Amino acid sequence: MTTRQPKQNYKQIILNHMLAGNRLSTYQAFDLWQITCFLQRISDLRADGIIINDEVVKQNGKRFKRYWIEQPANATSGGEQL
């Protein structure tokens, strides 16, 4: 028997994935982690004050939203800003 992960873990998984610079859709969240409550977790993160961007994508005749967290320009440089 497989046990389901608590909501908090799903929220953290999604947040970590987007903080790593990745974009994520409902289908991708299900495909990667079997998360069926993806949109609720996005709402929870936004309610926590996290700014999550989204865009409508049309692919293979289907429309869906893709979500991401904008990374600061200096986040990838690894150096300190003077």
Side-chain angles (χ1 to χ4, degrees), residues 3-52:
T3 58
R4 294 168 48 181
Q5 294 181 333
K7 291 177 186 176
Q8 188 65 24
N9 286 344
Y10 285 151
K11 197 164 81 168
Q12 193 62 50
I13 288 167
I14 292 166
L15 179 60
N16 290 342
H17 189 75
M18 289 194 292
L19 285 174
N22 300 305
R23 294 176 182 229
L24 197 56
S25 70
T26 302
Y27 176 78
Q28 290 168 319
F30 181 78
D31 191 44
L32 292 169
W33 307 290
Q34 291 72 49
I35 297 175
T36 57
C37 53
F38 175 71
L39 295 178
Q40 182 59 51
R41 301 295 75 83
I42 293 294
S43 293
D44 293 345
L45 289 166
R46 285 176 167 163
D48 289 345
I50 311 241
I51 298 171
I52 299 176

Side-chain angles (χ1 to χ4, degrees), residues 18 23-24 42 46 50-55 65-71:
M18 289 194 292
R23 294 176 182 229
L24 197 56
I42 293 294
R46 285 176 167 163
I50 311 241
I51 298 171
I52 299 176
N53 299 300
D54 60 70
E55 65 181 347
K65 276 193 174 182
R66 191 175 291 151
Y67 300 85
W68 75 95
I69 295 174
E70 201 66 46
Q71 302 294 319

Side-chain angles (χ1 to χ4, degrees), residues 50-65:
I50 311 241
I51 298 171
I52 299 176
N53 299 300
D54 60 70
E55 65 181 347
V56 176
V57 177
K58 188 172 182 180
Q59 196 172 353
N60 298 329
K62 308 268 186 202
R63 291 172 48 131
F64 59 92
K65 276 193 174 182

